[in-house]
Amino acid sequence: MSTSIPVEKIVYHRLDQPPEQAAVIHLAKMLRVCGILLACLLILTVFGAIESRSPPDSSMVFLPARDGNQLDSNDIEERGGPPPHTEHAKMARYLVHKAEWVSMGSLSTVDAIKGYPMVNIIAAADSARGEKSSGTLYFYLTMLDYTAQDLSKDNRLTILLSMDQDLECSKQGIDPMEPTCARIMISGRAVKVVEGSDEYQFGTNAMFSRHPAAKHWLDTHNFFLCKLDIIQIAVLDYYGGPHYVTVEEYMKADPDSTSLTLSPREDPFAPEVRKHSDDERTITVKINKNSPVRHINLEV
């Protein structure tokens, strides 16, 4: 005697799994997912450790090397800061010496905007890093760039320098637009420095010191050394409009006399020691909030 079973019943019995077996399979799948997640986490951890040990990015070679005897532009501020706003010539020299780049405006030779003002960021230096200010700005140009193309037709230019180029104003809560955030506008002509001259060597050393990448510019893009032949200097460092400094006043000013060689009494950030009257057993030390002083050692 034979018994017939519907096909759908057979299929049902073949596909339907016991509850215990289904739970085991589900648990296995969850464990597999957890394993994959843990493996990904482990891989990310390993890559993070490798990255932290890897050498610096190749672009870092273009940053100035530092050692204990070198100064950067901010060291001028730390050693005394800018001159008083009433000393306009010194302020101009201070900003020029501190700057490592300028906003340079030229008259465009591009057909669509011919004769319009055009601006560019140009690396510059008035001396080697840590050396005394010369007051003369040196910079490299290349005919591959529109600034040099403009200046080759009309070498008149104006540069703008702001005290906030290293965020000096912003760190003190002063908006860069405020007149108390000093800026200067220097107008003149771009002049190519004669190769092989003493001035050429000085300007080259200044640029290489502050801009090591410049060594590669000469090899690959035919840069040439120029300087700014100054005609007019406008200084805006306080309310009341700009002040105009003659080239003679500018060149005679010595920013190092106030910015880099302050005595402790002249230094506005030097700690001020006050003695109290109770048999001089109490001493108060007053420190400016912007002072670079971070530790005070007391010996009794």
Side-chain angles (χ1 to χ4, degrees), residues 56-74:
D57 183 80
S58 59
S59 62
M60 294 296 288
V61 301
F62 299 131
L63 295 178
R66 292 298 305 273
D67 59 39
N69 298 321
Q70 280 189 316
L71 298 174
D72 61 21
S73 58
N74 291 331

Side-chain angles (χ1 to χ4, degrees), residues 30-225:
M30 292 297 295
L31 290 175
R32 182 183 302 173
V33 171
C34 291
I36 293 174
L37 292 176
L38 287 174
C40 292
L41 181 61
L42 179 62
I43 292 173
L44 291 175
T45 303
V46 171
F47 274 111
I50 294 175
E51 183 178 359
S52 64
R53 289 189 171 188
S54 62
D57 183 80
S58 59
S59 62
M60 294 296 288
V61 301
F62 299 131
L63 295 178
R66 292 298 305 273
D67 59 39
N69 298 321
Q70 280 189 316
L71 298 174
D72 61 21
S73 58
N74 291 331
D75 288 326
I76 299 176
E77 175 188 357
E78 294 171 357
R79 293 277 299 275
H85 68 85
T86 54
E87 299 185 32
H88 309 299
K90 281 188 177 181
M91 180 64 76
R93 287 288 298 271
Y94 170 82
L95 292 179
V96 165
H97 187 49
K98 183 180 182 179
E100 305 212 339
W101 56 271
V102 301
S103 299
M104 182 177 292
S106 58
L107 297 176
S108 180
T109 55
V110 176
D111 289 337
I113 54 171
K114 184 172 292 185
Y116 280 71
M118 179 54 71
V119 69
N120 200 359
I121 297 298
I122 301 294
D126 85 324
S127 70
R129 188 176 299 280
E131 299 295 330
K132 288 179 66 66
S133 166
S134 73
T136 300
L137 274 171
Y138 297 93
F139 50 93
Y140 280 116
L141 295 177
T142 174
M143 292 304 294
L144 298 175
D145 183 76
Y146 60 80
T147 300
Q149 295 171 15
D150 294 345
L151 295 174
S152 67
K153 300 297 183 181
D154 186 339
N155 67 345
R156 292 177 297 172
L157 62 88
T158 294
I159 65 166
L160 168 69
L161 293 172
S162 168
M163 190 178 289
D164 204 44
Q165 288 183 201
D166 62 354
L167 302 181
E168 180 176 340
C169 298
S170 298
K171 290 176 182 177
Q172 300 180 48
I174 302 174
D175 192 277
M177 187 70 177
E178 286 286 339
T180 49
C181 184
R183 75 205 72 163
I184 59 173
M185 290 68 69
I186 303 180
S187 300
R189 295 181 180 274
V191 178
K192 187 175 181 180
V193 180
V194 178
E195 190 170 352
S197 63
D198 291 341
E199 184 178 26
Y200 181 87
Q201 188 61 48
F202 179 88
T204 299
N205 291 340
M207 286 297 295
F208 285 180
S209 173
R210 299 203 192 196
H211 306 283
K215 298 176 182 178
H216 305 290
W217 304 344
L218 301 181
D219 297 333
T220 56
H221 297 298
N222 299 318
F223 277 79
F224 50 92
L225 184 67

Side-chain angles (χ1 to χ4, degrees), residues 88-90 92-93 96 126 133-138 186 199 202 227-231 233 245-255:
H88 309 299
K90 281 188 177 181
R93 287 288 298 271
V96 165
D126 85 324
S133 166
S134 73
T136 300
L137 274 171
Y138 297 93
I186 303 180
E199 184 178 26
F202 179 88
K227 69 176 180 179
L228 174 57
D229 186 10
I230 301 173
I231 295 176
I233 303 165
V245 175
T246 67
V247 177
E248 183 180 6
E249 292 170 337
Y250 171 81
M251 296 307 296
K252 283 184 177 179
D254 182 9

